[in-house]
Amino acid sequence: MIKDMELFNQSLKSNMNQSGPINNRFIYLGTVTIFPFSVLGILLNSILILAIYKTTKFHTPTYILSANMAISDIITLLSSSIYTLLNTLQLTSSAIALSVYLTVCQWNYYSFRASYVISAFSFTAISIDRYMIIINEDSKKSVFSKPKILGLSIAAIWLLSCIISLPTYFAINFNITTSYACDTKQFYLENPVILIFRISIIIISFPIPLAIITYLYYYVIKKIKTASRSLVANHQRQIHATNMMIIATVFFMISNLAMVSTSIILGSFSSPLTNLLDNNTAITVWITISYISFILASIQNPVIFIVYNKTFRLAVIALLKWKKVQPSRQS
């Protein structure tokens, strides 16, 4: 271990001078940008969870699934905060145990993938809930209105997301010959089975949920547009909540396009991630942008809820002032 640390420190000092200043600048920019947003995201998602927990009106499948996403986002943002801090220390030549940094790298990328899949599946479940409520014009018609089914669905989302994200954990390596510690293994290029499995994961976690969500919300929007005035008036709260979730879903999918494309890019080159970062400024910029966009996607839900939903905004204000939530017509 001592020899490894000496080799790491020597190679780090050497490569900090050899690596392109532009690439290092982008790494620093990403670190400086990500950490404050991660802290802000942890705070906002914590407020979202508390507001939903303390407000009886929000004890519905849509809000509970949103709180479920907030929990996964907090875990990811905590991991991201630790990673960015250690990455800064690594770039400034501070000595960090290789085993510690490898674990941090693996957990950071694994939590990113798992959190994304949890959110994608949760948004899909919310679209199913909204579809059943709006199409049937009855909040009790949703399959998630039964607590047991909702609880089992959330448990299934976490279990499935954690399992299909496991390859990400084992695909991360530690490269002591460059100034970037976290690296990607290219073993799947030599094994077609692993490559097919990886592509399948990307399809399951993005195109399929996107197709389901698009299909369901198309008919939801169509139903709302063709509904009578009396129906709209009687279901104003449900329609308002549905519109809010459609906005949140669209922002989530757009924000994560960069991350999904990055996953495809990393799987398309024969070179490890560290070589790409050292030799290709465009890829460095794109990976930095995708990393930041993913962090922003982890913050978007509480921001959209507070801005779009008056009742939720009042609940947050009351929570911060330690007061009871005032009733409102919209939820």
Side-chain angles (χ1 to χ4, degrees), residues 134-135 217-229 231-232 239 243 246:
I134 298 300
I135 297 298
Y217 278 144
Y218 168 78
Y219 285 101
V220 167
I221 295 173
K222 186 177 180 180
K223 175 73 174 182
I224 293 174
K225 287 185 176 181
T226 58
S228 62
R229 292 184 179 180
L231 179 63
V232 172
I239 293 174
N243 291 336
I246 291 175

Side-chain angles (χ1 to χ4, degrees), residues 288-321:
T288 303
I289 292 174
S290 65
Y291 196 65
I292 294 174
S293 68
F294 185 85
I295 295 299
L296 294 177
S298 300
I299 303 174
Q300 67 158 40
N301 280 356
V303 173
I304 292 174
F305 282 29
I306 291 171
V307 172
Y308 191 84
N309 192 318
K310 182 179 180 181
T311 301
F312 190 84
R313 185 164 60 250
L314 292 174
V316 170
I317 294 173
L319 180 66
L320 297 176
K321 293 183 177 180

Side-chain angles (χ1 to χ4, degrees), residues 65-130:
L65 286 166
S66 297
N68 177 58
M69 285 188 283
I71 293 173
S72 70
D73 287 338
I74 288 175
I75 294 174
T76 299
L77 293 168
L78 281 171
S79 176
S80 176
S81 299
I82 295 173
Y83 168 76
T84 50
L85 286 176
L86 292 184
N87 196 43
T88 301
L89 293 175
Q90 186 264 341
L91 286 174
T92 54
S93 302
S94 296
I96 302 171
L98 301 185
S99 58
V100 173
Y101 209 105
L102 175 59
T103 301
V104 171
C105 288
Q106 290 174 323
W107 175 254
N108 182 62
Y109 285 93
Y110 172 73
S111 66
F112 265 42
R113 169 58 61 182
S115 177
Y116 165 75
V117 178
I118 289 171
S119 294
F121 288 170
S122 295
F123 272 120
T124 304
I126 290 173
S127 68
I128 295 173
D129 175 67
R130 294 289 95 195

Side-chain angles (χ1 to χ4, degrees), residues 78-329:
L78 281 171
S79 176
S80 176
S81 299
I82 295 173
Y83 168 76
T84 50
L85 286 176
L86 292 184
N87 196 43
T88 301
L89 293 175
Q90 186 264 341
L91 286 174
T92 54
S93 302
S94 296
I96 302 171
L98 301 185
S99 58
V100 173
Y101 209 105
L102 175 59
T103 301
V104 171
C105 288
Q106 290 174 323
W107 175 254
N108 182 62
Y109 285 93
Y110 172 73
S111 66
F112 265 42
R113 169 58 61 182
S115 177
Y116 165 75
V117 178
I118 289 171
S119 294
F121 288 170
S122 295
F123 272 120
T124 304
I126 290 173
S127 68
I128 295 173
D129 175 67
R130 294 289 95 195
Y131 175 84
M132 290 182 171
I133 290 174
I134 298 300
I135 297 298
N136 295 307
E137 303 175 12
D138 187 354
S139 60
K140 295 182 180 180
K141 291 293 185 179
S142 172
V143 66
F144 299 113
S145 62
K146 299 179 180 180
K148 287 186 179 180
I149 295 179
L150 179 60
L152 288 174
S153 299
I154 291 175
I157 287 173
W158 277 81
L159 181 61
L160 182 60
S161 299
C162 291
I163 290 175
I164 67 176
S165 300
L166 275 176
T168 303
Y169 183 89
F170 295 104
I172 302 301
N173 198 3
F174 191 102
N175 193 336
I176 63 176
T177 63
T178 70
S179 59
Y180 311 98
C182 295
D183 201 0
T184 54
K185 296 179 182 178
Q186 304 297 303
F187 59 84
Y188 49 79
L189 292 173
E190 302 174 0
N191 192 331
V193 176
I194 298 178
L195 177 59
I196 294 173
F197 182 69
R198 185 175 180 278
I199 294 174
S200 299
I201 291 174
I202 295 176
I203 294 174
I204 292 172
S205 61
F206 191 80
I208 291 180
L210 178 61
I212 295 173
I213 291 169
T214 303
Y215 175 82
L216 294 177
Y217 278 144
Y218 168 78
Y219 285 101
V220 167
I221 295 173
K222 186 177 180 180
K223 175 73 174 182
I224 293 174
K225 287 185 176 181
T226 58
S228 62
R229 292 184 179 180
S230 60
L231 179 63
V232 172
N234 293 332
H235 295 81
Q236 185 177 7
R237 286 174 49 192
Q238 296 294 352
I239 293 174
H240 186 78
T242 300
N243 291 336
M244 181 182 69
M245 293 315 305
I246 291 175
I247 294 172
T249 304
V250 170
F251 273 101
F252 172 79
M253 291 299 179
I254 292 176
S255 299
N256 282 282
L257 272 175
M259 183 60 69
V260 173
S261 63
T262 297
S263 299
I264 296 174
I265 289 173
L266 294 180
S268 302
F269 290 91
S270 58
S271 299
L273 173 62
T274 51
N275 292 346
L276 294 176
L277 292 174
D278 282 330
N279 301 319
N280 195 314
T281 302
I283 291 180
T284 303
V285 174
W286 184 250
I287 290 177
T288 303
I289 292 174
S290 65
Y291 196 65
I292 294 174
S293 68
F294 185 85
I295 295 299
L296 294 177
S298 300
I299 303 174
Q300 67 158 40
N301 280 356
V303 173
I304 292 174
F305 282 29
I306 291 171
V307 172
Y308 191 84
N309 192 318
K310 182 179 180 181
T311 301
F312 190 84
R313 185 164 60 250
L314 292 174
V316 170
I317 294 173
L319 180 66
L320 297 176
K321 293 183 177 180
W322 297 91
K323 295 180 179 180
K324 292 184 179 180
V325 180
Q326 298 297 323
S328 176
R329 293 183 178 179

